[in-house]
Amino acid sequence: MNVKALIICLFLAGPAWAQGFAGLGTEADGFAVPARGLAFDFPADHGPHPTYRIEWWYLTATLTGADGRDYGVQWTLFRSALAPEERAGWSSPQIWLGHAGLTTPEQHFVAERLARGGVGQAGVTASPFHAWIDDWAMQGPDLARRVQVSATGADFAYDLSLTADHPIVPHGDEGYSVKSAAGQASYYYSQPFYEVTGTLSLPDGPMVVTGQAWLDREWSSQPLADDQLGWDWFSLSLEDGSRVMAFQLRQTDGRSYTSGTWITEDGSPTPLPDGAIAFTPLALSDVAGREIPTAWRVSIPSKGLEVDTTPLNTQSWMDTLFPYWEGPIRFSGTHQGRGYLEMTGYE
Amino acid sequence: MMWRTALSALLSHWRYRPVQLATLLIGLAVATALWSGVQAINAEARASYDRAAAVLGQDRLDSLVPRAGNDLSQDSYIALRRAGWQVSPVVEGSIRVGDLRLRILGIDPVTTPPQAALGAFEGGDGLYPFITPPGLAFTSAETARQIADATTALPPLRVQDDLAPGVVVMDIGIAQRLLGMDGRVSRLLLHPDQPLGRASLTDIAPDLQQRSPQAENDLARLTDSFHLNLTAFGLLSFAVGLFIVHAAIGLAFEQRRAMFRTLRALGVPVGTLIALLAAELLILAGLAGVIGVALGYLVASVLLPDVAASLRGLYGAQVSGVLTLNPAWWLSGLAIAIVGAGVAAASSLWRAARMPLLAPAQPRAWARVSERRMTMQAVAALLLWAGGGLAAWLGSGLIAGFALMGGLLLGAALMLPPILSLLLIAGERLARAALWQWFWADTRQQLPGLSLALMALLLALAANIGVGTMVSSFRTTFTGWLDQRLAAELYITAESEAQWQDISPLIANRSDRILPIWNTEITVRGAPVTLYGIADDATYRDNWPLLSQAADPWDQVALGTGAMINEQLARRQGFTVGEEITLLPGWTFQIVGVYSDYGNPTGQILINLPQLTARFPDVERLRYAVRMAPEGVAPLMAELQSRGLTERNMIDQAALKAFSVSVFERTFAVTAALNVLTLGVAAIAMLTSLLTLSSMRLPQLAPLWAMGLTRRRLAVLDLARTLLLALMTMIAALPVGLALAWVLLAVVNVEAFGWRLPMDLFPADWLRLGGLALLAAGIAAALPVRRLATINPADLVRVFAHER
Amino acid sequence: MLLALKDIRKSFQSAGAEVPVLGGVSLTLDTGETLALTGESGSGKSTLLHLIAGLDAPDAGAIVIDGTDITTLPDAARAELRRGSVGLVFQQFNLIPSLSIGANLSFQARLAGREDPGWTEELVARLGLSGLLHRYPEHLSGGQQQRVAIGRTLAARPKLVLADEPTGNLDEATGDAVIALMRDLVTQTGAGFLMVTHSNRLADRMARRVHLSAGRIAE
């Protein structure tokens, strides 16, 4: 019995991590529930919301190395609350989880960190912005404009400088993002316009990289409906400067709930309602002993978009406490560009 | 076909000799039982130590520990994490619940490395109740049962079966509060996988150092001697058991010589015959092995609770009192039975293989004592003694002690037959009457046949005397020490400080003085130590048994500059008078005295009471020693009881002494039980040897009967012979046993228990043991003697018949 | 009359059936008389000898030795009779292996409480055992051992000497010499001598001869 199993035992027995990815449970149980029509309050909302069950600071970057090859980087800090409160010291019910990924055409590096809240090992302050777990950090004067992101694993590390001159982009209805027909929702905003420079530390040596990055911020207490199995989430950077966020939540009845945002070059968002986007798997890959669709056709007829995506590395498997697929993609069709794909709930 | 026919012929022997078959099976089964019983006990104890050691992977993971002091700041932990070091904090400490010392382990389940192997913690209700007050405490079923009724500060208990007994695991935050260690961490577990490019330890936390996993945990090392003792006993019993088997198999072979001859004459090749005999042996040994292992399980489960008590009493080692079955143990028990039978039968098989086809079929009479063999044995014995002495002189520590012991015992066993032979020759020389002359000569003639059994008896008796002397010496010293140490007439434990406030005026009225005994648990050099604060009082100055001391030690304690430590702490940590001892960072005392503290597993430190309360203002102020006139104790206790103080919380001197002595007795109960068992096995060895001899002796006795000695007379003489040999063996065992006692007290004890004891002699015990040995020999001889006394004359006449 | 047997009967149980061995044997022997008891294997001659020696008891009849009917005596008294009045010489010699030759020779005499060093010395000389007194039985030849056994018996001066195939384990020449010597020595002590043998040649050496056939005297 290893500690992973122990923690799963401890966690699974609790309400928060009962189902699905990263503890996206279905019951609110005294936790705060997102409400429509509440405007974001920055920079405070860059910080944590301990009365909500689950929250994340989720960064993905599509990069090009000095060697001309594609790279992908992920940096994520999850917050999971066992109770809707914060306390000082060890009795804090806040649990922090860090995931770092680095994808090359041949390899996919993963690291994971766990921490208790209340003792300083992990946390987030809004202003000046600082999110950290152990030695990993996303730190800057302002999350919306300029941050430094770093993480280390046993066999890789990265250190990236991110800058953006576009404003924050809220999804859904002014940041209120509906996740099912039954009304489950989360608060959700992004900064999809970072320009990146930095260095990757790889087993072969350091690699200077440049590229673009996309930050997702989301918090909620009950985002998944009972009949939802998992999701396929795309962030696409089109060559014309537009950005597309698109996801589908797969249901047990074989259908799915779709949602997305069309973000113009200047950063103004247009929500894409359920049914506005079509997702079609094109190819399955054998990943970690399961079949996963790593190539997709994404169609948004209303925007005249139909692209086929191909992964940089089909084996972009995040072998973490709760495993999932997350990796950089390229796409072509009516539009071309690079992006990131995240898929959860594939057994 | 030939195989089956021949085998059934060979096996038919046992049908006609059920007693012989029983002897063989009993001998082998008993030998196997004692051996595998002891093995089971040792295995169980070792498994408990391993579990204790494996808690939090201390046996596999490196840790970071403070260079000085007992714990580190939680800030250092966070600083290390923030620098990328993958470490997990652990808070350790101990608390007492009743007379049980619990090891508290506070962990952070979120960062604990997978290699820490904490177990599943089933029955937990998730992380939330574990980490938030009051938290949850996981412990073994056994420990949970022991503390179920006690009122403790522990969080609600949950049973976790694969935890070592005595260990209580809880969340680090809960443990910090319980142990008064807020913001402190005992040590950090180091994950085996560390990220790239983290800063060096000296940059982040220069006050910490990396410690490798302890290859062998302290407890295992500490208790090694105890288990070596048990193993030695087990081995001794097994060897003695093999004597029985040897005798029984030898007899069966002798009696079947005619059958062997016939089988071979009928065309069974000698190889086949030997193979068949081996197969027969395998069948019997397998059968006996199964019985033996089952018996061994019984022995172990009966003795285990006492062993557990002993280990707890001596070393504070927590051993489960419940035996777990292990297939490897069963198999090894069977294997040892078969190997043992093979060893015991080797000479018989060898003889059967080399027996000429036309050898006389009659049982071979016992050869006369070979002087050459006796001389060789004597030389071998001297060499063994010399070797043991050399090992003790050149070597050191426990191993040398055991080498000395082994050489002593083995040499003595080998020396026994030559010495007995010499004594019997002297007896024969001195004998006037023909009958007595024959008696001595005949006794000497039986010697080769009986010497194995007598050697077994010698070993059993010597072990008995040696261990008995050690235990009795210990007991004398211990009770004497108790008389000094438990000077106060009454000891009171209040349930609360309010209760004490309530009853203290009454006690003050009735007594001469009230002495607080307040204590707290601290850690010194990584080991738990009980720190006592004592009042400056004549009770201590007059009675406390000091082994070594500085000038005016009690004055220095009273001044608050000196501390007294017990012998265990001094020996284990190498402290001597005059050195400094650091109790907490920056809190240092001069050691001004070392006192004997028998029977206490852990270290102890005495300091002045105000020093204790200044440093630990929250220390529980509940225990007091009351000095008063002895005749006033009973009435005061009765009155206190009416004031609500429970009986459990008042201990008068006499009761405390009785309790301490009972702890002591339990500690050595196992030794006593094994002693008795070994003696029993020696008696069985004697019986089987005598049975073997008695059936071969008929041709020797029949002429005497024909010459006019009645069967009764012959039987009485045979009984006398056995008793004489037992008596002589007992006398020979006396010096051997005393030498063994010396080795145990002066060499082994110091290594094993951490204290040295004066050796006392207990002649009354020897008389009792001598009586016991004669009784055992008499019982062993009873059956063959009775058979001889009532033998059908026709059986004797048959000796003279022509056609033999 | 030294020995008188009156209608001795003895049966053994064998395989559940009564097998008669002696069917009414009567016999007398005087002091100083030598008697050979001959018969085929299984004729009952050894059984008769054992009965006379008190090693076994007859089913019926009387065995009177020196005026005492030993068939009515308790075990202890019969043992005393063997110790004091009767001397036995066996085919197997039956020396005591743990005692030296000297000790073996004087053993029975000392048991009986009438050791006569002069007589023992004479016996040693007559039996040619002088050089062997400190040896042990296992070191001696068969003839030597039998001479020790004879010496042991005669040293106690028994009134009645009983010998059961005393030369059965010896070669003919040695056997003849031993018998001659034994007869002479017994005659010298004046004891009665009854020898069981199946050899006519040896029987001829005795003064009288009785033949036992199928459990009865066929003189």
Side-chain angles (χ1 to χ4, degrees):
Chain A
M1 197 76 199
N2 62 24
V3 78
K4 195 157 160 176
L6 155 71
I7 289 171
I8 289 172
C9 273
L10 284 168
F11 280 40
L12 286 187
W17 301 67
Q19 180 202 339
F21 168 67
L24 292 184
T26 55
E27 299 290 326
D29 274 342
F31 287 94
V33 177
R36 201 181 287 269
L38 231 61
F40 287 125
D41 171 21
F42 295 118
D45 275 335
H46 293 321
H49 303 81
T51 56
Y52 291 80
R53 181 174 279 155
I54 178 80
E55 180 164 18
W56 57 64
W57 293 256
Y58 211 132
L59 186 87
T60 52
T62 50
L63 305 169
T64 305
D67 59 352
R69 305 205 309 166
D70 282 2
Y71 295 93
V73 157
Q74 177 202 347
W75 190 103
T76 312
L77 183 63
F78 298 97
R79 181 190 58 77
S80 173
L82 304 174
E85 59 178 333
E86 175 62 311
R87 295 189 208 168
W90 290 107
S91 57
S92 161
Q94 305 289 331
I95 305 293
W96 298 86
L97 192 65
H99 286 178
L102 197 171
T103 314
T104 75
E106 299 84 22
Q107 283 174 291
H108 181 75
F109 301 94
V110 181
E112 181 174 33
R113 297 293 173 85
L114 283 152
R116 300 262 289 271
V119 291
Q121 188 192 341
V124 176
T125 57
S127 183
F129 181 79
H130 187 198
W132 77 95
I133 181 163
D134 293 347
D135 54 327
W136 301 2
M138 179 184 284
Q139 187 166 14
D142 180 2
L143 180 61
R145 300 287 172 190
R146 202 168 85 233
V147 284
Q148 194 78 15
V149 176
S150 65
T152 53
D155 46 3
F156 75 101
Y158 55 77
D159 191 357
L160 308 175
S161 299
L162 282 61
T163 54
D165 47 14
H166 288 60
I168 290 292
V169 178
H171 295 287
D173 181 2
E174 291 298 312
Y176 181 82
S177 168
V178 177
K179 292 293 193 286
S180 81
Q184 269 87 359
S186 66
Y187 290 118
Y188 187 4
Y189 68 81
S190 296
Q191 171 50 283
F193 292 106
Y194 287 123
E195 293 295 327
V196 182
T197 59
T199 312
L200 310 181
S201 297
L202 293 165
D204 295 338
M207 175 63 60
V208 174
V209 289
T210 56
Q212 294 173 321
W214 177 307
L215 171 80
D216 265 8
R217 281 277 293 118
E218 192 158 7
W219 63 97
S220 73
S221 293
Q222 28 83 280
L224 277 199
D226 281 338
D227 61 348
Q228 293 178 329
L229 296 170
W231 64 73
D232 309 302
W233 175 93
F234 293 83
S235 63
L236 306 176
S237 299
L238 309 187
E239 56 199 352
D240 63 5
S242 311
R243 302 287 190 265
V244 176
M245 186 283 289
F247 65 84
Q248 67 166 343
L249 289 153
R250 301 188 306 278
Q251 293 165 204
T252 48
D253 61 4
R255 300 191 304 177
S256 62
Y257 181 88
T258 73
S259 177
T261 306
W262 188 279
I263 306 162
T264 59
E265 190 192 350
D266 61 3
S268 48
T270 311
L272 301 170
D274 184 19
I277 315 167
F279 300 87
T280 316
L282 298 180
L284 294 173
S285 299
D286 188 1
V287 181
R290 59 200 95 190
E291 295 268 280
I292 290 180
T294 50
W296 290 83
R297 172 164 299 155
V298 179
S299 311
I300 310 175
S302 61
K303 296 289 181 186
L305 179 137
E306 180 172 289
V307 294
D308 291 353
T309 74
T310 50
L312 176 63
N313 184 337
T314 57
Q315 305 299 312
S316 301
W317 185 248
M318 297 297 288
D319 188 15
T320 46
L321 198 52
F322 299 93
Y324 56 101
W325 195 102
E326 175 104 33
I329 55 173
R330 276 186 179 273
F331 56 87
S332 57
T334 58
H335 298 74
Q336 288 184 26
R338 298 172 68 176
Y340 243 83
L341 168 60
E342 173 180 290
M343 295 180 284
T344 72
Y346 287 95
E347 297 300 331
Chain B
M1 199 59 212
M2 177 181 82
W3 278 75
R4 259 180 59 188
T5 314
L7 186 60
S8 69
L10 285 173
L11 287 174
S12 68
H13 170 79
W14 304 106
R15 216 171 36 241
Y16 293 110
R17 308 268 180 185
V19 175
Q20 205 176 12
L21 177 63
T23 310
L24 176 65
L25 291 181
I26 289 171
L28 198 50
V30 166
T32 309
L34 289 182
W35 169 255
S36 47
V38 165
Q39 290 310 305
I41 289 172
N42 283 347
E44 188 64 44
R46 293 240 160 79
S48 289
Y49 307 148
D50 288 347
R51 276 208 299 274
V55 167
L56 289 182
Q58 284 168 103
D59 53 344
R60 273 159 294 166
L61 292 173
D62 280 18
S63 28
L64 299 181
V65 295
R67 285 182 192 279
N70 300 309
D71 50 27
L72 54 119
S73 157
Q74 191 170 300
D75 297 340
S76 298
Y77 160 62
I78 296 299
L80 279 165
R81 286 295 309 202
R82 295 290 298 276
W85 282 72
Q86 294 298 286
V87 287
S88 183
V90 177
V91 161
E92 279 174 304
S94 58
I95 62 164
R96 266 185 194 286
V97 172
D99 56 347
L100 210 63
R101 181 190 289 265
L102 298 177
R103 180 176 166 210
I104 304 295
L105 272 180
I107 58 156
D108 172 18
V110 171
T111 54
T112 311
Q115 293 79 3
L118 268 171
F121 286 79
E122 280 153 26
D125 313 308
L127 193 56
Y128 184 61
F130 185 76
I131 66 171
T132 48
L136 294 175
F138 286 86
T139 189
S140 68
E142 195 178 348
T143 306
R145 208 168 39 245
Q146 284 165 335
I147 59 177
D149 299 330
T151 40
T152 68
L154 289 173
L157 292 177
R158 292 285 184 278
V159 169
Q160 173 69 19
D161 271 327
D162 48 0
L163 278 178
V167 170
V168 183
V169 177
M170 60 188 71
D171 186 61
I172 180 168
I174 309 292
Q176 280 178 339
R177 195 154 318 141
L178 180 70
L179 299 170
M181 288 178 66
D182 279 329
R184 309 298 299 176
V185 173
S186 300
R187 60 198 174 85
L188 302 174
L189 293 174
L190 201 56
H191 289 239
D193 295 325
Q194 294 290 335
L196 290 174
R198 75 212 142 100
S200 79
L201 187 61
T202 43
D203 291 342
I204 317 289
D207 55 332
L208 299 186
Q209 58 183 340
Q210 188 162 344
R211 193 177 63 188
S212 300
Q214 288 151 298
E216 192 188 9
N217 67 72
D218 287 345
L219 213 51
R221 211 170 50 235
L222 202 62
T223 51
D224 257 356
S225 58
F226 184 88
H227 292 296
L228 214 56
N229 263 321
L230 283 184
T231 307
F233 260 113
L235 208 57
L236 197 64
S237 306
F238 187 68
V240 169
L242 285 193
F243 289 145
I244 305 176
V245 178
H246 180 77
I249 291 178
L251 177 60
F253 273 62
E254 289 297 337
Q255 286 174 340
R256 286 188 293 181
R257 285 170 81 96
M259 189 191 286
F260 297 166
R261 192 185 60 174
T262 308
L263 284 173
R264 287 188 57 192
L266 292 176
V268 177
V270 65
T272 308
L273 180 65
I274 298 304
L276 284 172
L277 286 171
E280 175 200 65
L281 200 66
L282 197 67
I283 295 170
L284 293 174
L287 187 61
V290 169
I291 301 171
V293 174
L295 279 176
Y297 179 77
L298 205 69
V299 168
S301 49
V302 168
L303 293 184
L304 189 58
D306 278 331
V307 172
S310 295
L311 288 166
R312 197 153 48 234
L314 290 174
Y315 309 102
Q318 297 289 345
V319 172
S320 167
V322 184
L323 206 59
T324 44
L325 284 173
N326 178 348
W329 173 74
W330 283 92
L331 286 179
S332 75
L334 269 182
I336 195 108
I338 288 165
V339 169
V343 167
S347 69
S348 293
L349 280 172
W350 179 246
R351 279 212 306 275
R354 304 210 323 163
M355 189 177 81
L357 187 52
L358 288 177
Q362 71 195 58
R364 189 174 58 104
W366 291 99
R368 256 176 11 95
V369 180
S370 152
E371 275 165 27
R372 216 172 73 96
R373 188 172 143 199
M374 290 294 174
T375 313
M376 273 170 57
Q377 260 183 251
V379 169
L382 289 174
L383 284 177
L384 275 168
W385 283 343
L390 203 65
W393 183 47
L394 295 178
S396 68
L398 212 53
I399 297 300
F402 275 98
L404 179 59
M405 216 160 84
L408 172 73
L409 285 177
L410 251 161
L414 281 178
M415 194 54 115
L416 181 70
I419 286 181
L420 287 182
S421 177
L422 285 176
L423 288 173
L424 292 172
I425 288 172
E428 190 181 342
R429 293 253 165 83
L430 292 173
R432 289 273 158 268
L435 189 60
W436 286 110
Q437 198 181 11
W438 168 77
F439 174 82
W440 289 103
D442 188 59
T443 305
R444 195 153 74 88
Q445 197 198 351
Q446 307 308 317
L447 204 51
L450 276 173
S451 62
L452 278 179
L454 291 174
M455 282 153 81
L457 184 64
L458 177 87
L459 290 182
L461 290 173
N464 235 303
I465 294 170
V467 175
T469 302
M470 177 191 77
V471 173
S472 299
S473 295
F474 196 174
R475 185 186 290 115
T476 306
T477 313
F478 180 65
T479 46
W481 167 83
L482 269 185
D483 284 339
Q484 285 186 306
R485 179 72 178 268
L486 299 180
E489 284 73 20
L490 181 63
Y491 294 85
I492 301 275
T493 307
E495 272 159 22
S496 62
E497 292 191 18
Q499 186 184 42
W500 175 252
Q501 296 307 328
D502 179 41
I503 57 177
S504 58
L506 170 69
I507 298 173
N509 245 336
R510 302 284 190 83
S511 62
D512 303 333
R513 299 187 300 283
I514 300 176
L515 309 172
I517 312 173
W518 299 339
N519 66 290
T520 186
E521 304 280 329
I522 61 169
T523 309
V524 171
R525 295 193 185 168
V529 166
T530 311
L531 177 65
Y532 280 92
I534 56 163
D536 182 20
D537 191 84
T539 304
Y540 301 107
R541 290 175 181 264
D542 296 348
N543 293 304
W544 215 249
L546 292 179
L547 296 174
S548 60
Q549 52 186 292
D552 305 319
W554 294 107
D555 290 342
Q556 292 199 50
V557 172
L559 281 171
T561 55
M564 300 265 182
I565 64 174
N566 65 354
E567 186 184 2
Q568 286 83 319
L569 182 64
R571 284 196 192 268
R572 264 176 221 156
Q573 306 284 1
F575 285 121
T576 54
V577 167
E579 286 183 349
E580 293 205 324
I581 185 168
T582 301
L583 307 186
L584 294 174
W587 199 38
T588 299
F589 287 81
Q590 180 122 29
I591 297 172
V592 293
V594 176
Y595 56 93
S596 53
D597 190 17
Y598 304 116
N600 181 6
T602 48
Q604 220 178 60
I605 302 174
L606 300 186
I607 57 170
N608 194 17
L609 189 63
Q611 294 278 336
L612 180 79
T613 50
R615 195 74 181 209
F616 296 94
D618 296 333
V619 70
E620 279 188 333
R621 295 159 194 235
L622 302 177
R623 290 185 63 208
Y624 298 88
V626 181
R627 298 308 310 263
M628 59 190 296
E631 58 273 14
V633 171
L636 178 60
M637 282 174 74
E639 197 156 338
L640 286 172
Q641 208 170 345
S642 70
R643 293 273 197 104
L645 196 65
T646 58
E647 211 166 338
R648 201 155 40 93
N649 290 333
M650 293 178 282
I651 300 171
D652 60 303
Q653 196 185 55
L656 191 53
K657 273 181 196 164
F659 172 75
S660 301
V661 170
S662 83
V663 167
F664 174 87
E665 297 295 347
R666 266 173 66 104
T667 298
F668 288 101
V670 183
T671 319
L674 281 174
N675 250 335
V676 169
L677 284 176
T678 313
L679 201 60
V681 172
I684 296 179
M686 196 98 158
L687 168 71
T688 52
S689 296
L690 289 170
L691 279 176
T692 308
L693 283 180
S694 72
S695 53
M696 287 182 211
R697 273 170 58 68
L698 229 45
Q700 293 164 18
L701 293 175
L704 286 150
W705 173 71
M707 275 184 253
L709 287 174
T710 59
R711 289 168 292 166
R712 210 183 137 75
R713 187 97 183 266
L714 287 172
V716 169
L717 285 172
D718 253 21
L719 180 63
R721 177 187 352 270
T722 306
L723 292 181
L724 175 77
L725 286 174
L727 184 65
M728 289 165 84
T729 305
M730 172 67 201
I731 292 170
L734 197 54
V736 180
L738 292 180
L740 177 64
W742 180 84
V743 173
L744 285 172
L745 286 169
V747 184
V748 176
N749 234 13
V750 175
E751 296 292 334
F753 298 88
W755 54 64
R756 185 174 180 157
L757 297 163
M759 180 163 150
D760 292 321
L761 300 183
F762 302 87
D765 285 356
W766 307 341
L767 282 180
R768 201 169 40 81
L769 187 64
L772 212 60
L774 289 181
L775 188 69
I779 291 171
L783 186 62
V785 161
R786 204 182 120 78
R787 213 150 79 177
L788 181 58
T790 58
I791 193 170
N792 188 342
D795 291 333
L796 288 165
V797 169
R798 200 170 296 130
V799 171
F800 309 119
H802 297 178
E803 296 83 17
R804 287 206 290 138
Chain C
M1 191 66 60
L2 175 62
L3 169 71
L5 307 186
K6 288 169 194 157
D7 199 23
I8 300 298
R9 290 170 190 279
K10 180 74 179 176
S11 310
F12 289 108
Q13 293 285 333
S14 178
E18 189 108 327
V19 178
V21 177
L22 297 173
V25 174
S26 298
L27 190 69
T28 59
L29 182 72
D30 272 329
T31 307
E33 196 180 358
T34 60
L35 174 67
L37 183 62
T38 59
E40 307 299 319
S41 280
S43 60
K45 54 189 193 299
S46 284
T47 304
L48 188 60
L49 190 83
H50 293 155
L51 291 175
I52 297 168
L55 298 176
D56 208 348
D59 298 336
I63 301 170
V64 181
I65 297 177
D66 212 12
T68 309
D69 183 356
I70 67 165
T71 57
T72 58
L73 290 178
D75 199 39
R78 271 194 286 174
E80 194 182 335
L81 181 87
R82 290 200 298 275
R83 206 156 61 229
S85 306
V86 180
L88 281 161
V89 178
F90 302 101
Q91 180 180 357
Q92 308 286 349
F93 326 137
N94 287 314
L95 298 181
I96 295 167
S98 53
L99 293 179
S100 68
I101 299 304
N104 260 292
L105 267 171
S106 59
F107 189 74
Q108 191 162 13
R110 288 164 69 197
L111 268 188
R114 46 168 183 271
E115 193 184 11
D116 179 346
W119 169 230
T120 309
E121 224 168 281
E122 186 185 342
L123 281 173
V124 168
R126 294 282 301 275
L127 290 165
L129 298 171
S130 335
L132 306 174
L133 293 182
H134 296 294
R135 305 253 186 115
Y136 283 84
E138 65 197 26
H139 300 130
L140 269 55
S141 71
Q144 288 171 325
Q145 288 200 42
Q146 191 58 297
R147 277 181 285 159
V148 176
I150 291 164
R152 179 179 67 183
T153 302
L154 295 180
R157 289 183 183 279
K159 289 178 182 159
L160 174 62
V161 176
L162 301 172
D164 188 0
E165 299 277 11
T167 60
N169 276 354
L170 305 177
D171 63 76
E172 200 169 279
T174 313
D176 285 358
V178 166
I179 290 295
L181 185 57
M182 186 174 182
R183 192 199 55 208
D184 293 349
L185 286 170
V186 174
T187 312
Q188 190 182 339
T189 61
F193 184 12
L194 190 152
M195 178 175 74
V196 165
T197 181
H198 64 273
S199 153
N200 286 324
R201 195 169 43 77
L202 289 180
D204 287 343
R205 303 279 184 115
M206 309 304 263
R208 195 152 66 94
R209 170 172 175 165
V210 174
H211 188 72
L212 202 60
S213 180
R216 289 171 187 279
I217 301 285
E219 219 157 336

